[in-house]
Amino acid sequence: MEKTFVMIKPDAVQRNLVGEIISRIERKGLKLVAGKLMSVPKSLAEEHYVEHTDKPFYNDLVSFITSAPVFAMVLEGEDAVKVARHIIGETNPSEATPGTIRGDLGLTVGRNIIHGSDSVESAEKEINLWFNEDEISDYESPQDAWLYE
Ligand code: DAT
Ligand code: MG
């Protein structure tokens, strides 16, 4: 089963949206297999956003993500990477479709609520970057039989 990395950003944690967001993920059927509230060391933030090093918003992005705790998660399910990106919505909340997390809960690109891995390869990289193997659970859920054929 595919895994993806999702992180609720400082703005959403401060706005008490953690429960709302996890609830949407649970209702969709993605399985929470790891999760932790944590302050992000600068080195981790820089590594996580390494592909954006040359962008004009890079410094602000690193400052933002290290400014207050985040809630980091690993989710599992069929096509988990694509499904998580769909329910998260477009990068800029002002353009994100209503019904998505960013479309319903955010307003601006610099405070866009949540991160989700953009490919299976980056998911693997990000899961290894943010979690130790022993923090990820492997378990059966009774609803699996009603989510999958
Ligand atoms: P996503 O988070 O949808 O994968 P991304 O990887 O292109 O988007 O960018 C990473 C984050 O950087 C994004 O969540 C918010 C910020 N960002 C992206 N484009 C931006 C811009 N034009 N101005 C300010 N921040 C931006
Ligand atoms: Mg991205």
Side-chain angles (χ1 to χ4, degrees):
M1 207 48 99
E2 194 168 289
K3 286 188 176 70
T4 190
F5 172 72
V6 167
M7 183 227 328
I8 302 176
K9 294 181 178 180
D11 52 335
V13 174
Q14 293 300 313
R15 292 174 56 208
N16 295 336
L17 293 172
V18 172
E20 161 77 30
I21 292 167
I22 293 178
S23 168
R24 287 169 179 238
I25 290 165
E26 286 181 322
R27 284 188 314 217
K28 181 65 181 173
L30 291 172
K31 187 189 285 180
L32 191 58
V33 294
K36 56 184 172 186
L37 183 84
M38 60 182 282
S39 297
V40 183
K42 189 157 182 251
S43 55
L44 174 58
E46 288 172 342
E47 180 61 26
H48 177 75
Y49 282 125
V50 69
E51 64 175 303
H52 296 302
T53 310
D54 297 332
K55 307 272 171 61
F57 55 81
Y58 175 74
N59 286 335
D60 287 342
L61 190 55
V62 170
S63 305
F64 169 50
I65 224 72
T66 55
S67 63
V70 304
F71 193 87
M73 285 174 274
V74 180
L75 308 175
E76 188 180 81
E78 195 168 293
D79 289 324
V81 171
K82 192 176 76 189
V83 169
R85 292 281 289 194
H86 270 139
I87 66 171
I88 286 170
E90 293 289 310
T91 303
N92 191 334
S94 68
E95 286 154 20
T97 311
T100 63
I101 292 168
R102 285 169 171 163
D104 286 348
L105 306 174
L107 272 177
T108 64
V109 70
R111 297 289 182 270
N112 69 352
I113 308 282
I114 187 165
H115 165 87
S117 306
D118 63 7
S119 67
V120 173
E121 296 71 47
S122 23
E124 225 165 84
K125 216 162 46 176
E126 291 172 358
I127 289 168
N128 287 329
L129 185 64
W130 287 79
F131 286 93
N132 294 321
E133 226 169 281
D134 63 5
E135 292 177 301
I136 303 171
S137 296
D138 183 15
Y139 64 99
E140 302 218 330
S141 162
Q143 68 164 351
D144 288 348
W146 298 97
L147 280 166
Y148 299 103
E149 290 180 69

